Amino acid sequence: MSRTLTRARRLAGRVDWYIVALFSVIGFATLAPAERQAAEVVTGLTQVAIGVLFFLYGARLSPSAALEGVRHWRLHLPVLALTFIAFPLVGLAIALLPDRMLGAELTAGVLFLAVLPSTVQSSIAFTSMARGNVAAAVCSASFSTVLGVVLTPVLAVLLIQRSEDGGIPIGFGQLGDIAVQLLLPFLAGQMLRRWISDWLGRHRAVISVCDRGSILLVVYSAFSRGMTTGIWQRVSPARLALLGALCALLLGVALLLANRSARVLRLPREDRVTAVFCGATKSLASGLPMASVLFPAGRVAMIVLPLMLYHTLQLVVCAWLARRWPTTLHTATTHPAPHTPDSATSPHSGSPAG
């Protein structure tokens, strides 16, 4: 009995309950979508939650950490190039598929996924698990987030307009909404950071609930709208399977490019770990609010579906890689191979060696 309980606890410890909550909210929105006046209330609350979310992003993000990326450019430049150049190019290649395979909305969703910044929390957590350069991961992910607030909407408008020939009503007019609902709260958080950062640090649990609760509300609002437009009638099992395969392909290409570019640049092992996890991940926390502002409410659920699938895949695959890398390091230190990048020690490392 005790062994069964122990195994159950270990299994529960490995489950990402936030992902479980995300898909539970989708299920709840499917069964009980917000309609009529309730939908208006949920929409209003969602807009407030998005503003609060980006205010907190700005208040917690250290400008010095973001600017630190300029110093360690050999690491951060390829990560940013992968995030904002290579990813969009692969997304455009996927967009060349015949329209009958994915449809305009899912194709737009893949392109939107491709222009998102790196995720902050997951990148740092995976880098720490794999004994990589945690300090560099903080800088790289922070720098990516700052650029993403500006670059992601612009790239989304440019690529989706060009790819879809007006099939998705998105244009530069939405950039004004982005400025009001996302950029202004973000900048306000940056301006007030010196006075409220200590308070935020002392109440991390409350802030985490606020963060994740806001995202869950965005998901519920998006999929409630999706239900009124028949989202599950428009996504066949075959199309959903194809989308999952394309997200897996996109993740595989990103991991491969990140690892190869880090090796070509002869980065130390700790920095190579950082490059892989910061370069291959995409931010759900930034993507869902941006999508809610950029795209028509009735289409958001379809457009964020690729992001939801990719985010789930990146958590599973990157967690496996992060657990495997320390074992690889242990083997390398037991049987050292001189004159290899893996045996080098990073001068920028913020995590314990070995």
Side-chain angles (χ1 to χ4, degrees):
M1 182 69 176
S2 59
R3 289 183 179 179
T4 303
L5 287 174
T6 302
R7 289 177 182 174
R9 288 172 182 171
R10 287 179 181 175
L11 181 61
R14 294 179 180 179
V15 173
D16 191 318
W17 293 107
Y18 183 48
I19 293 297
V20 174
L22 282 171
F23 284 98
S24 297
V25 167
I26 293 175
F28 182 68
T30 301
L31 297 174
E35 297 177 331
R36 300 183 181 87
Q37 292 183 345
E40 294 178 5
V41 172
V42 170
T43 299
L45 290 175
T46 301
Q47 291 175 347
V48 172
I50 289 171
V52 171
L53 193 64
F54 273 78
F55 174 81
L56 292 175
Y57 286 164
R60 286 178 301 176
L61 186 62
S62 169
S64 60
L67 293 176
E68 184 69 21
V70 177
R71 292 186 186 178
H72 201 7
W73 64 269
R74 288 183 67 248
L75 168 62
H76 302 307
L77 193 59
V79 169
L80 292 174
L82 179 62
T83 302
F84 295 113
I85 298 176
F87 253 109
L89 289 176
V90 176
L92 282 173
I94 293 175
L96 294 176
L97 292 172
D99 187 62
R100 66 179 182 277
M101 297 185 71
L102 282 181
E105 290 168 322
L106 291 180
T107 300
V110 171
L111 287 170
F112 179 67
L113 162 67
V115 299
L116 286 172
S118 300
T119 182
V120 178
Q121 294 91 339
S122 296
S123 297
I124 296 169
F126 292 141
T127 300
S128 178
M129 287 171 61
R131 299 178 186 177
N133 190 337
V134 177
V138 173
C139 297
S140 186
S142 300
F143 203 34
S144 178
T145 298
V146 172
L147 288 178
V149 173
V150 178
L151 281 182
T152 293
V154 173
L155 288 173
V157 170
L158 289 173
L159 297 186
I160 293 173
Q161 265 193 335
R162 176 169 297 188
S163 171
E164 300 302 329
D165 297 325
I168 302 295
I170 177 175
F172 285 99
Q174 276 86 348
L175 297 184
D177 296 333
I178 285 285
V180 173
Q181 294 190 44
L182 305 186
L183 188 56
L184 286 182
F186 181 86
L187 293 176
Q190 284 279 283
M191 292 174 62
L192 297 176
R193 184 179 185 279
R194 60 181 297 185
W195 293 287
I196 64 176
S197 60
D198 291 340
W199 185 90
L200 293 175
R202 292 194 303 269
H203 298 83
R204 290 181 180 176
V206 176
I207 301 306
S208 178
V209 170
C210 182
D211 275 357
R212 298 191 170 198
S214 298
I215 296 299
L216 294 176
L217 183 59
V218 171
V219 172
Y220 177 72
S221 176
F223 279 87
S224 289
R225 292 276 187 168
M227 284 302 297
T228 62
T229 58
I231 176 175
W232 300 122
Q233 285 74 34
R234 289 181 287 153
V235 183
S236 65
R239 183 170 282 184
L240 194 60
L242 174 62
L243 179 62
L246 290 174
C247 287
L249 175 64
L250 190 59
L251 178 60
V253 169
L255 290 169
L256 180 63
L257 287 177
N259 189 43
R260 288 293 174 85
S261 61
R263 287 183 181 275
V264 168
L265 292 170
R266 298 180 181 273
L267 294 178
R269 177 211 174 268
E270 292 89 346
D271 288 352
R272 182 155 51 87
V273 170
T274 302
V276 167
F277 290 128
C278 290
T281 56
K282 290 293 186 178
S283 176
L284 182 78
S286 296
L288 287 175
M290 285 186 182
S292 296
V293 178
L294 274 172
F295 301 103
R299 300 194 175 191
V300 170
M302 287 281 285
I303 290 172
V304 301
L305 204 52
L307 173 59
M308 300 280 288
L309 289 176
Y310 187 90
H311 184 77
T312 305
L313 283 171
Q314 80 182 13
L315 287 179
V316 173
V317 173
C318 290
W320 178 81
L321 283 175
R323 292 190 185 100
R324 182 176 178 272
W325 241 321
T327 305
T328 305
L329 177 63
H330 177 73
T331 303
T333 53
T334 305
H335 306 285
H339 309 299
T340 63
D342 283 1
S343 61
T345 302
S346 169
H348 301 277
S349 178
S351 61

